[in-house]
Amino acid sequence: MIFTAAGNSGLGAFDAVEQYGKENGRATHFVIGVDSNQNMVKPGYVLTSMVKRVDVAVYNIIKDVVDRKFQGGFHVFGLESDGVGYVVDQYNKDLVSPEAIQAAEEAKKKIIAGRSKVTDAMAN
């Protein structure tokens, strides 16, 4: 499995997993898209996409400006504010089991509740 790290600059990884092919109708290697939903790039080879919900961030900032509540500075939009997430759609729904989705949702709840610690790459 390859987790790309820079949006469309990782598209070579999509080609690489496709070159490994399929066995019994299922991909032998997978890639995870990043930044936006890339599940449709190589259907059957993209396990999921980690998305940055820029639309949520922009909406919330504009709403704060309109409501005269905006304050400049560093704004974080994580799981608790739907600022990041993963995608399950028609392109990958057969690759991700209901149990895996349930486990991901349980992990998400633990992170939001503070019961699972996530390293902050922006700290220090």
Side-chain angles (χ1 to χ4, degrees):
M1 179 163 339
I2 301 171
F3 180 75
T4 60
N8 286 339
S9 68
L11 292 179
F14 289 70
D15 292 336
V17 297
E18 184 180 44
Q19 288 175 6
Y20 277 98
K22 295 184 177 185
E23 284 183 13
N24 300 320
R26 186 171 172 90
T28 59
H29 293 74
F30 297 95
V31 66
I32 296 176
V34 68
D35 293 337
S36 63
N37 183 0
Q38 296 179 314
N39 293 354
M40 76 294 296
V41 174
K42 298 281 183 181
Y45 295 94
V46 184
L47 190 60
T48 191
S49 292
M50 187 289 305
V51 292
K52 295 177 186 170
R53 299 290 313 273
V54 177
D55 59 324
V56 171
V58 170
Y59 175 84
N60 286 329
I61 294 295
I62 291 172
K63 184 175 182 327
D64 284 351
V65 169
V66 169
D67 294 343
R68 300 189 184 281
K69 296 179 183 177
F70 176 76
Q71 293 185 355
F74 195 69
H75 297 265
V76 177
F77 295 91
L79 288 173
E80 72 288 343
S81 58
D82 200 26
V84 294
Y86 63 93
V87 180
V88 177
D89 60 15
Q90 71 270 25
Y91 300 106
N92 70 335
K93 66 181 178 171
D94 294 332
L95 303 177
V96 185
S97 71
E99 295 81 15
I101 294 169
Q102 182 179 357
E105 289 300 314
E106 288 172 11
K108 176 180 173 180
K109 288 176 188 173
K110 287 179 182 177
I111 292 167
I112 292 170
R115 294 192 313 266
S116 288
K117 178 71 175 150
V118 176
T119 303
D120 184 352
M122 299 303 290
N124 299 339

